[in-house]
């Protein structure tokens, strides 16, 4: 049984308890209840043809909800038991295709979508990318009202209003409201140990994100997709793959079925106070190169010693990367962001490093990441 089924059962159990409490709270025989002045309990002025006034959020919702679908997959493995079962998530129309998360459809035997008008359609995987947790589907049928959504063309900012649209716990066509709580976050990505790659430039939001929202759009007040919802780890903490990254990856998945990510070929450690002190640096900024392999081997210098500081061993002697492709690199997040959004495999980029106390620039031809890394799901 997957997390969605468990959550749905709990929700129904909670609803059942509320119903029992309501019945127990009904008036006892002989007591008096009033539905209205002089009327019986069956009298009602409720107008079933009227709808309450909405808001600006209602307008955005009505403009895009036909373009958001529920994804149902069969044959997916439960990450805890390994048993095959069914899974559920969200997706949205982009161009003539549908975008969702890779983890929603990965290794699924069959994929079906349901639009908010009730129509069902089969779908085939066009391409997927583990390093951004994105996938593109081709559908057999798309209603006329399901028009493509567009990615936002401006970077999000903290405090910006956003709406999360999708199918949490299988409740189709749901919307939650919040703000952008943070930008340039990193999520654990594919790979193992020192070969694991994080997903960079992730958008954090306090809009409600729950199981089943994965793959749905996080949109701004113009209905543009700010990010593709990927995960919610706690109440008020949700994450979405940024439009900046998705707008690079998705067209490539449509055209080629895959996307190649740049790779420097280094293992690194962010420069904190302990690393700065051990390497006689004036400030704690940049990343230190701990080990190298292709393509950085022979171009960048790796650490050749360790020193114990504050009870921990820290690397000493490696290059300190402080700039890449003309951008300052204050930390690991910045390095990952520049690689992901501004470079491609085969590019020759300038890498600014602190080496032996001097700032110097070296040229590095970027490689490509492994095409089929171990998935974290």
């Amino acid at each position: 049984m997957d997390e969605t089924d468990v959550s749905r059962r709990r929700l129904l159990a909670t609803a059942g308890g509320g119903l029992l409490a309501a019945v127990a709270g009904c008036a006892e025989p002989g007591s008096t209840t009033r539905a209205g002045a002089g009327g019986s309990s069956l009298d009602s002025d409720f107008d079933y043809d009227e709808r309450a006034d909405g808001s600006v959020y209602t307008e955005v919702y009505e403009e895009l909800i036909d373009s958001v679908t529920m994804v149902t997959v069969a044959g997916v493995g439960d990450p805890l038991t390994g048993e095959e079962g069914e899974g559920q998530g969200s997706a949205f129309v982009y161009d003539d295709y549908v975008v969702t998360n890779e983890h929603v459809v990965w290794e699924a035997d069959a994929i079906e979508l349901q639009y908010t008008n009730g129509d069902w359609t089969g779908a085939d995987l066009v391409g997927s990318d583990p390093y951004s947790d994105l996938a593109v589907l081709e559908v057999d049928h798309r209603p006329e009202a399901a028009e493509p959504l567009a990615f936002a063309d401006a970077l999000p900012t903290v405090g910006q209003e956003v709406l999360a649209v999708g199918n949490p716990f299988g409740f189709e066509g749901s919307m939650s409201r919040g703000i952008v709580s943070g930008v340039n976050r990193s999520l654990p990505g594919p790979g193992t140990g020192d070969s694991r790659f994080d997903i960079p430039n992730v958008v954090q939001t306090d809009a409600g994100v729950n199981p089943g929202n994965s793959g749905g759009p996080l949109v701004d007040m113009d209905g543009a997709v700010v990010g593709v919802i990927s995960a919610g780890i706690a109440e008020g903490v949700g994450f979405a793959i940024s439009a900046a990254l998705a707008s690079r990856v998705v067209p490539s998945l449509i055209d080629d079925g895959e996307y190649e990510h740049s790779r420097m070929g280094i293992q690194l450690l962010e420069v904190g106070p302990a690393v700065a002190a051990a390497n006689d640096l004036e400030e704690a900024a940049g990343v230190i190169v701990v080990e190298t392999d292709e393509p950085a081997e022979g171009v960048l210098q790796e650490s050749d010693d360790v020193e114990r500081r504050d009870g921990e061993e820290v690397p000493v002697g490696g290059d300190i990367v402080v700039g890449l492709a003309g951008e300052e690199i204050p930390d690991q997040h910045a390095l990952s962001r520049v690689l992901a959004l501004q470079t491609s495999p085969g590019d020759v980029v300038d890498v600014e490093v602190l080496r032996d106390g001097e700032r110097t620039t070296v040229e590095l031809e970027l490689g490509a990441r492994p095409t089929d890394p171990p998935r974290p799901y």
Side-chain angles (χ1 to χ4, degrees), residues 210-250:
N210 294 287
N213 273 117
S214 293
L218 182 72
V219 302
D220 62 21
M221 298 309 295
D222 293 323
V225 179
V226 173
V228 183
I229 298 168
S230 180
I233 61 172
E235 185 176 355
V237 183
F239 297 100
I241 309 305
S242 72
L245 181 57
S247 62
R248 285 174 63 98
V249 173
V250 168

Side-chain angles (χ1 to χ4, degrees), residues 3 46-48 50 73 79 113 120 130 137 139 151 175 202 210 284 290 300 322 326 348 363:
E3 187 176 0
F46 195 90
D47 189 341
Y48 290 93
E50 286 291 322
V73 297
L113 308 182
W120 284 90
L137 308 175
V139 296
F151 289 119
M175 180 179 74
V202 173
N210 294 287
V290 179
L300 296 176
V322 293
V348 177
E363 289 187 344

Side-chain angles (χ1 to χ4, degrees), residues 3-377:
E3 187 176 0
T4 302
D5 292 333
V6 172
S7 301
R8 187 183 295 118
R9 286 176 178 265
R10 289 176 179 167
L11 184 62
L12 292 176
T14 303
L19 179 61
L20 180 61
V23 172
C26 288
E28 296 181 3
S31 65
T32 301
T33 61
R34 289 172 60 89
S40 74
S41 60
L42 297 179
D43 291 339
S44 173
D45 292 328
F46 195 90
D47 189 341
Y48 290 93
D49 294 324
E50 286 291 322
R51 292 179 61 188
D53 291 336
S55 67
V56 62
Y57 310 113
T58 309
E59 294 175 6
V60 177
Y61 176 85
E62 291 180 343
E63 287 179 3
L64 63 82
I65 190 57
D66 289 324
S67 303
V68 181
T69 77
M70 181 183 292
V71 182
T72 303
V73 297
V76 295
D78 187 302
L80 297 179
T81 66
E83 296 179 356
E84 288 192 353
E86 292 188 351
Q88 178 262 319
S90 303
F92 62 92
V93 178
Y94 174 85
D95 199 0
D96 290 327
Y97 300 86
V98 169
V99 172
T100 187
N101 288 144
E102 191 201 50
H103 80 256
V104 171
V105 296
W106 173 245
E107 293 189 327
D109 290 337
I111 306 171
E112 291 188 327
L113 308 182
Q114 185 181 28
Y115 300 95
T116 54
N117 69 351
D119 288 1
W120 284 90
T121 183
D124 294 315
L125 183 65
V126 173
S128 65
D129 175 45
Y131 296 111
S132 62
D133 192 23
L134 293 172
V136 172
L137 308 175
E138 187 171 31
V139 296
D140 299 331
H141 162 67
R142 176 162 65 91
E144 185 175 343
E147 297 183 352
L149 302 184
F151 289 119
D153 56 9
L155 295 175
T157 186
V158 174
Q160 175 186 356
E161 276 196 304
V162 287
L163 305 172
V165 185
N167 310 285
F169 303 114
F171 293 119
E172 70 276 6
S174 298
M175 180 179 74
S176 58
R177 176 178 65 90
I179 62 170
V180 172
S181 307
V183 295
N184 291 328
R185 305 301 196 211
S186 296
L187 285 181
T192 57
D194 293 333
S195 298
R196 195 196 76 187
F197 294 89
D198 286 343
I199 301 173
N201 198 228
V202 173
V203 180
Q204 179 185 335
T205 180
D206 69 347
V209 172
N210 294 287
N213 273 117
S214 293
L218 182 72
V219 302
D220 62 21
M221 298 309 295
D222 293 323
V225 179
V226 173
V228 183
I229 298 168
S230 180
I233 61 172
E235 185 176 355
V237 183
F239 297 100
I241 309 305
S242 72
L245 181 57
S247 62
R248 285 174 63 98
V249 173
V250 168
S252 179
L253 296 182
I254 292 172
D255 292 339
D256 305 321
E258 61 183 5
Y259 180 83
E260 286 193 329
H261 291 261
S262 299
R263 177 176 182 270
M264 292 181 68
I266 62 174
Q267 293 180 23
L268 54 84
L269 183 67
E270 200 164 287
V271 175
V275 174
N279 287 273
D280 297 322
L281 302 177
E282 294 182 358
E283 60 177 343
V287 297
I288 186 169
V289 178
V290 179
E291 292 185 19
T292 63
D293 58 22
E294 291 298 330
E297 190 172 11
V299 178
L300 296 176
Q301 292 183 4
E302 61 185 43
S303 171
D304 57 4
D305 199 1
V306 294
E307 185 174 306
R308 199 159 190 85
R309 292 268 177 168
D310 300 327
E312 294 186 4
E313 290 186 342
V314 297
V316 176
D319 281 343
I320 310 295
V321 178
V322 293
L324 179 67
E327 298 282 344
E328 290 291 319
I329 302 298
D331 53 33
Q332 184 174 345
H333 297 295
L335 181 67
S336 297
R337 174 179 54 81
V338 173
L339 276 174
L341 301 184
Q342 297 178 220
T343 72
S344 299
D347 288 352
V348 177
V349 296
D350 288 338
V351 185
E352 294 183 62
V353 299
L354 296 177
R355 177 181 294 175
D356 300 326
E358 300 291 333
R359 187 166 183 139
T360 187
T361 299
V362 297
E363 289 187 344
L364 175 66
E365 182 176 348
L366 299 174
R369 295 180 185 178
T371 56
D372 192 24
R375 267 65 169 178
Y377 34 85

